[in-house]
C-alpha cells in the first residue's frame, strides 16, 4: 500500500468518526423527513433545498474546520518533513470531503425517491454538472475560510456565521417568492442561491440558467485562487 493510500485510509477513518460528518448527513435527512410527508409527489423545491443544505454543511463547516485544525496542531508543518507533503493531505481532504457531500446527497435522493415518493429527474448529466459546480463553489468558500482562520475554532465559528445568512438569501429558510425582491435578487448571486436555483431548474425539467451556472463557476475559480493566495501551511 502506498503512502498516499495509507494516508487516505487513516483520514477516512477519522472523517467517519467526526461528529460534523454525521451531522452533515443527518440534518438534511431530518429536514427531508419532517417536511417530505406533507409535499406533493411532483414537488421541485424540498429535495433540491436539502441537497444544497448538505453540500453547504460540508463546504462551510466540515472542510474549513478540519483544515484549520490540522494547521493549528502543526500537522501540516510536520508533514513537510515526511514523504507525504502537505499538498497531498490537502488533496486527500478535498477528495474525502467531496465523497462525504456526494454520499449525503445520494442518500437524500435515494430516500426521497424510494420512501417518500418524491420526484427525481432523469437528467443525470445535468444533475451531475450542477452538483459539481455547486460543490466547487461551496468548497472554494470553505478553503478561503480555512486559509484566513487562525485556528479550527475560528474556522468553525466563521463557517457557521456565514452559513445562515447565505442560507437565508438562497431561499433555504424562507421561500424566495416570499422574500423581499431586493434580497431575492441578491440571493441569486450567492453561491448557495445559484446552486439552489440551478437544482430547482433541473428538478422542474428545465435547463439551468447560464447566468446561474456562471455565478457558481466564478465563485469556484475566483475564490479558490484567493484561498490559494492566502493559505498558510503553518
Amino acid at each position: 500500500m502506498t503512502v498516499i493510500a495509507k494516508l487516505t485510509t487513516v483520514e477516512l477513518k477519522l472523517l467517519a468518526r467526526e461528529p460534523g460528518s454525521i451531522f452533515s448527513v443527518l440534518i438534511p435527512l431530518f429536514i427531508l423527513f419532517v417536511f417530505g410527508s406533507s409535499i406533493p409527489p411532483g414537488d421541485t423545491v424540498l429535495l433540491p433545498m436539502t441537497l444544497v443544505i448538505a453540500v453547504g454543511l460540508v463546504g462551510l463547516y466540515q472542510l474549513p474546520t478540519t483544515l484549520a485544525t490540522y494547521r493549528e496542531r502543526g500537522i501540516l508543518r510536520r508533514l513537510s518533513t515526511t514523504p507525504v507533503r502537505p499538498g497531498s493531505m490537502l488533496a486527500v481532504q478535498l477528495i474525502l470531503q467531496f465523497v462525504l457531500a456526494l454520499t449525503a446527497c445520494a442518500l437524500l435522493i435515494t430516500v426521497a425517491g424510494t420512501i417518500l415518493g418524491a420526484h427525481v429527474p432523469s437528467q443525470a448529466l445535468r444533475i451531475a454538472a450542477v452538483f459539481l459546480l455547486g460543490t466547487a463553489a461551496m468548497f472554494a468558500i470553505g478553503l478561503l475560510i480555512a486559509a484566513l482562520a487562525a485556528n479550527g475554532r475560528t474556522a468553525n465559528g466563521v463557517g457557521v456565521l456565514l452559513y445562515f445568512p447565505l442560507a437565508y438569501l438562497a431561499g433555504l429558510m424562507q421561500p424566495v417568492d416570499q422574500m423581499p425582491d431586493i434580497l431575492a435578487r441578491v440571493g441569486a448571486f450567492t453561491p448557495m442561491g445559484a446552486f439552489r436555483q440551478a437544482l430547482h431548474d433541473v428538478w422542474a425539467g428545465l435547463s439551468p440558467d447560464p447566468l446561474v451556472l456562471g455565478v457558481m463557476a466564478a465563485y469556484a475559480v475566483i475564490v479558490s485562487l484567493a484561498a490559494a493566495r492566502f493559505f498558510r501551511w503553518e
Side-chain angles (χ1 to χ4, degrees):
M1 183 179 293
T2 65
V3 174
I4 298 298
K6 290 181 179 179
L7 176 64
T8 303
T9 301
V10 171
E11 290 300 312
L12 180 59
K13 291 179 180 178
L14 293 174
L15 183 63
R17 298 171 186 170
E18 176 61 42
S21 302
I22 300 173
F23 291 142
S24 297
V25 175
L26 293 184
I27 290 176
L29 195 59
F30 174 76
I31 294 173
L32 182 66
F33 270 115
V34 168
F35 296 101
S37 59
S38 61
I39 62 172
D43 179 73
T44 61
V45 175
L46 180 61
L47 185 51
M49 181 184 75
T50 55
L51 296 177
V52 176
I53 290 173
V55 175
L57 287 172
V58 176
L60 295 180
Y61 169 74
Q62 183 65 28
L63 175 62
T65 301
T66 300
L67 293 179
T69 299
Y70 278 16
R71 183 177 61 233
E72 176 188 4
R73 295 177 178 175
I75 294 175
L76 298 180
R77 176 177 51 79
R78 289 197 295 271
L79 283 175
S80 63
T81 63
T82 72
V84 183
R85 296 299 178 182
S88 300
M89 170 66 81
L90 178 59
V92 167
Q93 276 297 323
L94 286 173
I95 292 171
L96 292 180
Q97 299 292 346
F98 175 79
V99 170
L100 174 61
L102 182 62
T103 301
C105 290
L107 180 61
L108 287 168
I109 292 175
T110 301
V111 169
T114 58
I115 298 178
L116 300 178
H119 168 64
V120 178
S122 58
Q123 302 97 326
L125 290 179
R126 287 182 182 177
I127 295 176
V130 171
F131 175 79
L132 288 174
L133 268 179
T135 302
M138 299 309 304
F139 275 30
I141 303 294
L143 286 172
L144 183 59
I145 295 172
L148 299 176
N151 50 55
R153 181 175 297 179
T154 301
N156 188 327
V158 172
V160 171
L161 289 175
L162 193 58
Y163 182 91
F164 288 103
L166 285 178
Y168 174 76
L169 290 172
L172 302 182
M173 298 181 177
Q174 181 180 5
V176 175
D177 56 6
Q178 297 179 17
M179 294 170 58
D181 289 343
I182 182 63
L183 293 182
R185 286 196 291 269
V186 170
F189 289 92
T190 64
M192 272 190 174
F195 193 12
R196 183 205 59 77
Q197 183 60 52
L199 285 177
H200 173 74
D201 290 343
V202 173
W203 252 253
L206 306 173
S207 297
D209 187 340
L211 177 60
V212 170
L213 299 178
V215 168
M216 291 189 290
Y219 275 104
V221 174
I222 296 173
V223 180
S224 291
L225 290 175
R229 170 66 178 82
F230 294 108
F231 196 86
R232 295 165 289 115
W233 296 110
E234 57 180 300

